[in-house]
Amino acid sequence: MASVRVRFAPSPTGFVHIGSLRTALYNYLFARRNNGVFVLRIEDTDRTRYVEGATENLIRVLNWAGLVPDEGPEQEGPYGPYFQSQRTEIYHRYAQELIESGRAYYAFDTPEELESMRSGKLPQSASSTRYNFLIRDSMCNSLSLSHRDVERMLADGMPYVVRLKMPADRIFNVEDIIRGHVEFDSKEIDDQVLIKSDGYPTYHLANVVDDHLMQISHVIRGEEWLSSVPKHLYLYECFSWQAPKMAHLPLIFNPDGTKMSKRDITSLADLPEGKVDPDVESYIRAGFERDAILNAIALLGWNPGDGHEQEVFSVTELIESFGLERVNKSAAIFDLQKLRWLNKEHLGRMDEGDLLERLKPGLAIKGWDRFSDDYYTRVIGLLKSRLSFVNDFFEYGAYFFQDPSEYEEKGLKKRWKAQSANLMLEFCQEIDKLKSFNAGAIEEALRQVAERHDVGGGQIIHPVRLAVSGFSVGPGLFDLLEVLGKERVIKRLKKAVEVIPALLQQ
Ligand code: GLU
């Protein structure tokens, strides 16, 4: 089997779009799954759309996501340079070849003339208002002008573009891996500009030349590029090159079915109804986990197949399961609820040691950095399945590092009864006697007190929880008490007995 080489070929025109990250991810997964090579190529030849800093941003996001290319601007490789702006000479060479073989031509039409043609003001606009086979012979180009005139105009430095001479009567066919058989009629296609008047190539020429020179085996990209396929197929044919296999990924929409747009968005916390933010970095800034973002993005158009209910995937699992044959044709919807759910699931599955490393800077800021790793690990073990975001730990887990400074008012009103103080004190006496302060022994002590007073366990469990944590909900109480340790628990229970009755009188 020929070796798999795929590329992610973004244009640095602004922020990193969710759709771009999906294209990068699918290319990466496909490469890893097939022991292939993942190439990053920066398509920066459209100088009018170039945004300063966008390339650096993009590379940073890819590195953050762990989608590190095997070849690219940072890694380099045998097919570089990987910035198209550094390859202009190559494109000129190939454009020249097309001109010489009669497949492309120089065009000198001014922007004003082109505008007049398009708006129907030129006499020849009667045949077509698009630059195509119907009109090309009556425009200002090397097909309509004499050889001498063309030479002179070139020598005089007249601005020109190079256009592809699209055949008039061809049907181009592609067997797209996702979309199946797709046909294009060459009549519908204009004579594409290949080299612009600023000397830079257009996307079409540069893309085809580089995919060939970089030996790309599969082109995996968004559906918005499907309409470019016939132009590319014709270019491959002109050069007698074999076209790569193609897979066009479905579009991604807002939950309300509209196109995702940054203009609709001010913040993730305040999204307009039915909209989501297309900017990947907004989700990174909001504290979503890398694995959750990649998992959510992987599911935008792909699923593991019938009979496979799995939804939570690590990147390794994605590599094992991913295949282009399971990518849908129909548009995908980016759903923030799903991402939130996945974030919680991924945090719940995270290794305690890894989570501790993530929490250490925050623990230091809070001044909670003097506890043992063993203690942190046990606290994390209790809390991790309850976290929606990593930073929730500092809110939900504060009482593991400092005494509660207040008690949840609603909980107190509901749970703290006239006899609670006595029950607490008796519970204190019982647990004080315990040699080994473990969840099982603590539970037994609590049940004994409850039995003695003929009350349900809840009569003690709820007030104890409030007393030691300040919250009315949290991890299993007996485990929580075990982790807190006897001394802290008794101290907090005694304090609660002192202050809570007074709080309730207020
Ligand atoms: N430069 C194009 C983009 O910005 C790449 C399209 C392709 O992958 O061929 O998405």
Side-chain angles (χ1 to χ4, degrees):
M1 198 178 80
S3 64
V4 164
R5 288 181 54 85
V6 291
R7 83 307 193 267
F8 173 48
S11 299
T13 54
F15 66 90
V16 184
H17 196 282
I18 291 284
S20 291
L21 189 61
R22 183 192 58 179
T23 302
L25 175 64
Y26 283 14
N27 274 285
Y28 172 86
L29 295 175
F30 188 75
R32 289 293 162 272
R33 176 97 185 99
N34 296 290
N35 295 320
V37 175
F38 173 51
V39 178
L40 171 64
R41 181 174 76 223
I42 305 294
E43 301 209 327
D44 55 350
T45 62
D46 189 347
R47 306 314 282 179
T48 56
R49 293 181 64 218
Y50 184 77
V51 172
E52 203 57 53
T55 302
E56 291 72 12
N57 216 20
L58 201 127
I59 291 177
R60 210 179 47 241
V61 170
L62 285 184
N63 287 340
W64 167 87
L67 308 180
V68 182
D70 303 305
E71 293 171 25
E74 282 191 328
Q75 296 69 20
E76 304 192 334
Y79 301 95
Y82 294 89
F83 282 104
Q84 287 190 327
S85 58
Q86 294 170 13
R87 301 170 62 85
T88 42
E89 260 174 52
I90 302 176
Y91 311 124
H92 276 266
R93 221 165 51 228
Y94 284 103
Q96 197 56 40
E97 197 180 307
L98 292 175
I99 293 169
E100 279 160 21
S101 66
R103 260 88 168 233
Y105 58 92
Y106 295 107
F108 301 93
D109 316 87
T110 63
E112 294 73 30
E113 281 163 346
L114 290 173
E115 183 44 40
S116 303
M117 180 268 285
R118 288 192 189 113
S119 55
K121 295 201 189 91
L122 291 188
Q124 54 273 49
S125 303
S127 339
S128 172
T129 51
R130 290 163 36 196
Y131 212 118
N132 61 11
F133 67 102
L134 293 167
I135 206 172
R136 62 168 80 104
D137 291 330
S138 51
M139 299 296 288
C140 186
N141 56 42
S142 56
L143 302 174
S144 61
L145 300 166
S146 72
H147 185 67
R148 265 198 29 224
D149 284 347
V150 172
E151 290 296 310
R152 186 180 44 76
M153 287 162 92
L154 290 176
D156 287 352
M158 284 271 283
Y160 69 86
V161 300
V162 176
R163 283 184 185 270
L164 180 64
K165 192 175 164 194
M166 239 3 230
D169 48 4
R170 285 285 306 279
I171 299 293
F172 291 103
N173 296 293
V174 67
E175 291 304 327
D176 188 275
I177 297 173
I178 296 165
R179 319 197 67 80
H181 184 81
V182 191
E183 273 184 16
F184 305 89
D185 187 340
S186 68
K187 272 195 208 53
E188 307 297 325
I189 299 158
D190 297 2
D191 286 359
Q192 295 301 308
V193 172
L194 300 177
I195 300 279
K196 292 174 284 185
S197 56
D198 63 5
Y200 280 100
T202 55
Y203 157 70
H204 302 294
L205 178 65
N207 192 270
V208 164
V209 166
D210 285 347
D211 280 348
H212 172 73
L213 294 181
M214 296 181 181
Q215 299 198 15
I216 298 303
S217 60
H218 295 74
V219 165
I220 305 169
R221 63 183 169 201
E223 189 188 315
E224 62 276 26
W225 301 103
L226 187 63
S227 60
S228 300
V229 167
K231 302 159 201 170
H232 297 187
L233 290 179
Y234 185 54
L235 280 169
Y236 283 109
E237 185 183 309
C238 291
F239 290 122
S240 305
W241 294 338
Q242 197 191 342
K245 295 199 173 64
M246 300 199 179
H248 287 86
L249 309 174
L251 299 172
I252 306 173
F253 289 127
N254 279 316
D256 68 2
T258 57
K259 197 171 165 223
M260 292 161 88
S261 158
K262 187 106 173 118
R263 254 166 306 160
D264 294 334
I265 311 299
T266 44
S267 90
L268 273 191
D270 187 22
L271 289 173
E273 181 75 20
K275 310 286 185 220
V276 285
D277 192 338
D279 183 352
V280 173
E281 286 185 281
S282 300
Y283 300 91
I284 302 176
R285 274 196 300 272
F288 283 99
E289 294 301 304
R290 173 196 94 117
D291 283 8
I293 296 181
L294 293 180
N295 191 163
I297 285 180
L299 296 175
L300 292 174
W302 171 83
N303 65 70
D306 294 340
H308 295 87
E309 302 307 320
Q310 186 178 356
E311 287 197 279
V312 184
F313 290 88
S314 66
V315 175
T316 315
E317 289 168 328
L318 284 173
I319 293 171
E320 282 161 13
S321 325
F322 185 79
L324 288 171
E325 64 290 344
R326 301 264 0 137
V327 176
N328 307 319
K329 271 195 268 220
S330 46
I333 300 283
F334 186 60
D335 176 2
L336 193 53
Q337 294 307 335
K338 182 81 169 260
L339 174 60
R340 288 203 184 105
W341 177 77
L342 285 169
N343 209 60
K344 195 161 189 299
E345 292 295 316
H346 277 277
L347 284 173
R349 274 155 217 237
M350 208 185 243
D351 174 78
E352 274 110 41
D354 291 344
L355 198 43
L356 175 56
E357 286 312 308
R358 296 276 306 281
L359 291 167
K360 276 191 171 159
L363 288 167
I365 291 170
K366 290 274 188 190
W368 298 340
D369 48 357
R370 284 186 296 274
F371 296 81
S372 70
D373 275 9
D374 176 58
Y375 183 68
Y376 290 125
T377 310
R378 294 171 74 200
V379 174
I380 291 170
L382 287 184
L383 288 180
K384 65 176 185 170
S385 66
R386 315 183 75 84
L387 307 176
S388 296
F389 289 95
V390 168
N391 284 344
D392 290 344
F393 180 86
F394 301 107
E395 190 189 330
Y396 301 170
Y399 60 86
F400 284 103
F401 309 105
Q402 61 190 29
D403 293 342
S405 54
E406 51 191 21
Y407 305 96
E408 207 185 286
E409 201 184 321
K410 237 172 84 193
L412 282 189
K413 289 211 166 110
K414 186 162 167 209
R415 302 294 191 184
W416 196 274
K417 302 276 156 47
Q419 85 264 37
S420 295
N422 277 340
L423 292 169
M424 291 306 92
L425 292 175
E426 205 170 312
F427 178 56
C428 276
Q429 280 170 7
E430 288 301 325
I431 55 175
D432 204 11
K433 291 187 220 150
L434 294 177
K435 296 251 168 342
S436 159
F437 195 70
N438 62 60
I442 301 168
E443 175 164 10
E444 209 178 303
L446 188 139
R447 303 273 173 219
Q448 274 173 19
V449 177
E451 247 168 59
R452 224 178 282 148
H453 290 264
D454 200 18
V455 295
Q459 297 279 337
I460 308 179
I461 290 176
H462 297 298
V464 169
R465 180 188 293 289
L466 279 161
V468 298
S469 74
F471 291 114
S472 60
V473 289
L477 181 72
F478 305 112
D479 294 321
L480 181 162
L481 296 178
E482 177 185 321
V483 171
L484 275 176
K486 189 199 273 188
E487 210 181 303
R488 262 194 224 112
V489 170
I490 292 181
K491 184 175 131 218
R492 289 185 190 180
L493 287 173
K494 288 190 171 160
K495 172 153 181 236
V497 167
E498 250 176 69
V499 301
I500 289 178
L503 283 175
L504 283 169
Q505 311 245 295
Q506 283 171 10

